[in-house]
């Protein structure tokens, strides 16, 4: 034997404890490549030697031949002792691994992972499967929906839902509409000066209907009025009385009985922001229902008859419920279905007058409508029905705007309530009771909301207060 003879053995070389075999030159028998192990540099093909198995004195396995399981959760690595580990290490899956890896035998094998519960492992895997499956299922469903070849769903094939049979919820717009609609009528009017239409509402079972003066004035002298009810019935009507100064009129239908009158509420306790419902016939669309809120109170508005004069100033309830030409004379109601106003005017910046107006093809809703307070309308309607003539509340003085604010009194009518109270031309009224007066229209509106013979305290700009007993005078029929 020579030094280079591969079969030469070194007497001092260690021998196998059982077989007595010496390790092959160039590597231990435990090396997966033996003495012909290929390295990254040589590029050779590794040749495997098969050493005799050696067992640990305690565990029965020789750790020098063990290779750490690359997957500690695989069947081979679930627990040491369950499956006996092979003494024949597998070939290095990466022959070009860096030095220090298990392929070179320089890194000791890591300890075997502790025993895990198979049940917990399965549960964890099942959870992941559910989560992933849910996401994947949704994605696949989205991508393949409608292409699976199954029957397509169609809403037209679904059965109709159950028919609504219950009553409308109390306090809803629907409930107000159900309550009031049978009492609201469309008024079709014609006369020598033209034709038009508006709305009104029944206030008695025998046919009295409350509406606006400007709705029926064209038929006041020889014209015709036809009332159209919710159920389509029609009846002729005639004017009983009207008041241009408050834009209120009463008509009565003939040959119709057992009508449903509205429930009249009150307007003196209205609050800004509370909900209201308007019903009428805008643009001849009978039975139209809109809703909104009370936007403001005690708004002085010139309306009625297109005159735009101080004679038609009303102390209006402002609302944003949609009101259009044809709504005039219809009810404005609270959410209990009680009438609290008569729709009378809208603010229409595109109208010819550039101010408040109702009627005319250019007028349209801009969210600012005005209604006559029902307290004032009720008093006037009652007087008309009982006497056939309206009575106007007055003080007997001309009035204009004061430059510094307030209402400046002009000529005083002799024997009038103003003269009897001691008011003089040139006095400036700044308050009536607790209501501030900032302009002449505000003074007129405040007086007309009150009844004749009612007392009111006027505060003047110089600080004086004067108590005035308001007067009443018949409105000429024309």
């Amino acid at each position: 034997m020579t030094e280079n003879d591969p079969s030469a053995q070194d007497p001092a070389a260690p021998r196998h404890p059982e077989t007595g075999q010496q390790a092959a030159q160039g590597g231990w028998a435990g090396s997966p490549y033996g003495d012909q192990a290929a390295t990254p540099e040589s590029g050779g093909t590794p040749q495997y030697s098969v050493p005799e198995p050696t067992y640990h004195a305690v565990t029965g396995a020789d750790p020098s031949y063990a290779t750490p399981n690359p997957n500690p959760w695989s069947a081979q690595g679930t627990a040491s002792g369950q499956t006996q580990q092979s003494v024949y290490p597998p070939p290095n899956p990466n022959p070009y691994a860096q030095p220090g890896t298990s392929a070179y035998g320089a890194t000791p094998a890591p300890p075997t992972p502790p025993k895990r519960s198979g049940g917990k492992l399965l549960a964890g895997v099942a959870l992941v499967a559910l989560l992933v499956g849910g996401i994947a299922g949704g994605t696949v469903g989205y991508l393949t929906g409608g292409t699976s070849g199954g029957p397509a769903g169609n809403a037209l094939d679904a059965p109709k839902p159950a028919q609504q049979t219950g009553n409308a919820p109390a306090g809803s717009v629907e409930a107000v509409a159900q309550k009031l609609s049978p009492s609201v009528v469309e008024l079709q009017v014609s006369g020598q000066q033209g034709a038009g239409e508006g709305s009104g509402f029944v206030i008695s079972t025998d046919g009295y209907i409350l509406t606006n003066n400007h709705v029926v004035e064209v038929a006041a002298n020889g014209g015709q009025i036809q009332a159209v009810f919710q159920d389509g019935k029609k009846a002729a009507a005639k004017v009983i009385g009207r008041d241009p100064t408050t834009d209120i009129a009463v008509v009565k239908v003939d040959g119709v009985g057992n009508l449903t009158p509205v429930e009249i509420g009150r307007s003196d306790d209205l609050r800004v922001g509370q909900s209201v419902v308007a019903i009428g016939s805008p643009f001849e669309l009978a039975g139209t229902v809109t809703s909104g809120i009370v936007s403001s109170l005690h708004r002085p508005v010139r309306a009625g008859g297109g005159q735009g004069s101080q004679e038609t100033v009303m102390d209006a309830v402002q609302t944003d419920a949609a009101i259009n030409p044809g709504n005039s004379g219809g009810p404005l109601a609270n959410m209990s279905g009680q009438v609290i106003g008569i729709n009378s005017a809208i603010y229409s910046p595109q109208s010819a007058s550039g101010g408040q107006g109702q009627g005319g093809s250019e007028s349209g809703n801009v969210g600012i409508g005005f209604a006559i307070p029902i307290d004032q309308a009720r008093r006037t309607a009652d007087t008309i029905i009982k006497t056939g003539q309206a009575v106007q509340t007055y003080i007997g003085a001309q009035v204009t705007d004061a430059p510094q604010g307030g209402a400046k009194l002009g000529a005083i009518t002799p024997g009038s309530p103003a003269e009897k109270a001691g008011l003089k031309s040139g006095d400036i009224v700044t308050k009536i009771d607790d209501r501030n007066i900032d302009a002449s229209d505000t003074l007129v509106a405040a007086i007309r909301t009150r009844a004749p013979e009612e007392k009111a305290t006027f505060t003047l700009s110089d600080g004086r207060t004067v108590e005035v007993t308001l007067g009443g005078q018949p409105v000429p029929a024309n």
Side-chain angles (χ1 to χ4, degrees), residues 210-473:
L210 189 57
T211 185
N212 283 144
N213 172 69
H214 75 263
V215 169
V216 299
E217 67 177 346
V218 69
N221 298 310
Q224 295 180 342
I225 303 174
Q226 182 173 250
V228 183
F229 294 87
Q230 182 194 35
D231 58 4
K233 293 181 180 180
K234 298 179 180 180
K238 62 181 180 181
V239 176
I240 300 301
R242 58 195 184 91
D243 181 8
T245 64
T246 58
D247 197 23
I248 294 171
V250 177
V251 301
K252 190 176 187 297
V253 295
D254 296 325
V256 180
N258 298 321
L259 298 178
T260 303
V262 300
E263 180 183 356
I264 296 179
R266 55 189 299 166
S267 55
D268 62 353
D269 60 352
L270 290 175
R271 299 180 303 276
V272 173
Q274 77 175 79
S275 298
V276 289
V277 175
I279 304 179
S281 303
F283 302 108
E284 301 183 12
L285 300 173
T288 297
V289 178
T290 58
S291 64
I293 63 169
V294 173
S295 303
S296 183
L297 296 169
H298 306 297
R299 184 75 74 188
V301 175
R302 299 188 183 194
Q307 299 297 322
S309 68
Q310 202 170 59
E311 292 181 354
T312 62
V313 172
M314 60 179 176
D315 195 43
V317 177
Q318 182 180 327
T319 179
D320 68 348
I323 298 175
N324 288 286
N327 272 114
S328 288
L332 184 69
N334 60 24
M335 301 312 291
S336 296
Q338 301 169 332
V339 178
I340 50 87
I342 303 175
N343 302 318
S344 181
I346 59 175
Y347 180 78
S348 182
Q350 295 180 348
S351 64
S353 62
Q356 294 89 1
Q358 178 92 20
S361 60
E362 293 183 351
S363 299
N365 173 62
V366 293
I368 303 177
F370 304 100
I372 302 168
I374 197 61
D375 292 348
Q376 178 181 353
R378 182 175 192 167
R379 183 177 63 252
T380 301
D382 186 59
T383 303
I384 289 174
I385 292 173
K386 290 178 179 179
T387 68
Q389 191 174 24
V391 174
Q392 179 190 71
T393 305
Y394 80 112
I395 63 171
Q398 295 181 352
V399 60
T400 58
D401 293 341
Q404 65 271 35
K408 183 178 181 179
L409 301 182
I412 306 294
T413 303
S416 66
E419 185 186 54
K420 293 177 180 179
L423 292 173
K424 306 294 183 181
S425 177
D427 287 341
I428 297 175
V429 181
T430 59
K431 184 179 290 189
I432 293 182
D433 292 332
D434 58 353
R435 177 174 177 176
N436 291 326
I437 304 300
D438 58 356
S440 59
D441 281 4
T442 307
L443 177 60
V444 174
I447 292 172
R448 289 185 177 160
T449 60
R450 299 166 185 262
E453 304 303 323
E454 186 176 335
K455 296 183 182 298
T457 300
F458 285 42
T459 300
L460 307 180
S461 59
D462 58 7
R464 291 183 296 129
T465 58
V466 179
E467 186 177 74
V468 180
T469 300
L470 304 177
Q473 59 184 6

